[in-house]
Amino acid sequence: MRFSLIILFLLAVNIIKGQTAEKIVSKAEEILKGKTAHGIMEMIIKTPDFERTLKMESWWVGNEKALIVIKSPKREAGNKTLKIKNEIWNYLKNTETTIKIPPSMMLQSWNGSDFTNDDLVRESNLSKDYNKNLIGEEPIGGKKCWKIELVPKPNAPVVWGKLYYWIRQKDYMPSIVQYFDEKGNLIRYIVYSDVKKFGSRTMPSVWTMYSKTKEGHSTTVKILEMELDINIPDKIFSFQELERGN
């Protein structure tokens, strides 16, 4: 009888932890993405040999749709990326060609950055594709954070073996995410910083992805303007808009 009570107690604790971790991750992802979003951003790509800056405008609807338009530098301005569900197309303005990204290229770099095509499609599915466990508390930058382990669900279409996600306890702000391969090697990590207010919403305005496999490589996204939970016409996410020269 005592043994059964202990088992029931442990099961109850695990369920509570699971629900808590689920809720924490969901709130953190909601801060980053909102239901819809429109923003102006800079992407700074650094390697030991060069530094390159892109200015971009983007529109997002949840996890389902996105359009990213490069505004500068001039030689890349007008190039676009369209995402609909789990498919991506790139439009190259100079050659006026549209290319669908095949599944075999999902892990390729997006525009020479440390973000991949896969990030655009699947990174937003943390809530759906991973089991989550609250495994501890750790301070990050002097702020008390929850540490959550995310393990892919069986047959989930994800490339990572495991993630560790630190989220601030005070306000659910994302802090750091570490990405491990199936062998347990740390491949990269993203740091969220410089929390700012955009309209009525507060969120990290600087997102920096560091590579652990390519020394000295990192990509920083700086949010310059952001509107969240606004009405976005569905025609934005169309091939007509993708291939419209602007």
Side-chain angles (χ1 to χ4, degrees), residues 174-215:
S175 186
I176 296 175
V177 184
Q178 292 181 334
Y179 299 80
F180 295 82
D181 65 15
E182 291 183 344
K183 296 180 180 178
N185 301 309
L186 177 61
I187 302 301
R188 64 179 192 171
Y189 62 98
I190 187 168
V191 177
Y192 297 99
S193 61
D194 200 7
V195 173
K196 289 184 178 177
K197 198 163 187 177
F198 297 94
S200 61
R201 300 286 292 270
T202 303
M203 62 188 298
S205 66
V206 179
W207 309 0
T208 303
M209 185 74 81
Y210 296 93
S211 172
K212 292 293 286 183
T213 59
K214 294 181 288 185
E215 189 173 355

Side-chain angles (χ1 to χ4, degrees), residues 79-110:
N79 291 350
K80 303 178 184 180
T81 297
L82 174 67
K83 167 193 167 183
I84 299 176
K85 295 185 178 179
N86 62 347
E87 296 183 297
I88 292 180
W89 294 263
N90 282 337
Y91 172 75
L92 304 177
K93 185 179 180 183
N94 287 342
T95 56
E96 297 185 345
T97 53
T98 298
I99 304 168
K100 184 176 180 180
I101 304 300
S104 60
M105 289 184 63
M106 283 301 178
L107 287 181
Q108 297 294 315
S109 165
W110 185 82

Side-chain angles (χ1 to χ4, degrees), residues 30-245:
E30 175 68 17
I31 286 172
L32 290 181
K33 300 181 176 76
K35 294 177 181 174
T36 63
H38 168 233
I40 307 293
M41 296 166 282
E42 274 187 350
M43 175 179 276
I44 302 109
I45 303 163
K46 293 182 180 178
T47 76
D49 302 318
F50 71 87
E51 180 173 321
R52 173 169 154 255
T53 299
L54 304 176
K55 190 168 184 180
M56 308 178 298
E57 183 170 11
S58 70
W59 295 261
W60 294 81
V61 172
N63 300 331
E64 298 296 311
K65 299 176 182 178
L67 179 70
I68 302 171
V69 181
I70 296 178
K71 310 300 280 189
S72 68
K74 188 175 180 180
R75 66 179 179 277
E76 296 174 63
N79 291 350
K80 303 178 184 180
T81 297
L82 174 67
K83 167 193 167 183
I84 299 176
K85 295 185 178 179
N86 62 347
E87 296 183 297
I88 292 180
W89 294 263
N90 282 337
Y91 172 75
L92 304 177
K93 185 179 180 183
N94 287 342
T95 56
E96 297 185 345
T97 53
T98 298
I99 304 168
K100 184 176 180 180
I101 304 300
S104 60
M105 289 184 63
M106 283 301 178
L107 287 181
Q108 297 294 315
S109 165
W110 185 82
N111 272 289
S113 73
D114 292 285
F115 292 88
T116 66
N117 293 311
D118 188 74
D119 289 327
L120 298 184
V121 175
R122 291 171 177 153
E123 173 65 11
S124 56
N125 289 334
L126 295 184
S127 297
K128 187 175 73 175
D129 292 332
Y130 290 85
N131 290 315
K132 306 162 194 69
N133 293 297
L134 178 57
I135 60 173
E137 299 178 350
E138 292 180 2
I140 301 291
K143 307 291 185 182
K144 199 171 183 181
C145 291
W146 289 293
K147 182 179 180 181
I148 295 173
E149 180 186 61
L150 295 96
V151 179
K153 294 178 180 177
N155 302 319
V158 299
V159 298
W160 304 109
K162 180 173 61 180
L163 309 180
Y164 284 134
Y165 198 161
W166 285 263
I167 296 169
R168 289 189 350 191
Q169 294 187 13
K170 178 183 177 182
D171 48 17
Y172 294 91
M173 287 290 160
S175 186
I176 296 175
V177 184
Q178 292 181 334
Y179 299 80
F180 295 82
D181 65 15
E182 291 183 344
K183 296 180 180 178
N185 301 309
L186 177 61
I187 302 301
R188 64 179 192 171
Y189 62 98
I190 187 168
V191 177
Y192 297 99
S193 61
D194 200 7
V195 173
K196 289 184 178 177
K197 198 163 187 177
F198 297 94
S200 61
R201 300 286 292 270
T202 303
M203 62 188 298
S205 66
V206 179
W207 309 0
T208 303
M209 185 74 81
Y210 296 93
S211 172
K212 292 293 286 183
T213 59
K214 294 181 288 185
E215 189 173 355
H217 287 243
S218 68
T219 299
T220 297
V221 174
K222 293 183 177 178
I223 299 172
L224 307 179
E225 301 174 26
M226 182 63 73
E227 302 174 282
L228 293 160
D229 300 332
I230 60 172
N231 182 39
I232 298 178
D234 200 52
K235 68 178 184 179
I236 290 286
F237 311 103
S238 66
F239 286 96
Q240 183 180 11
E241 183 66 25
L242 178 71
E243 297 172 347
R244 183 170 66 86

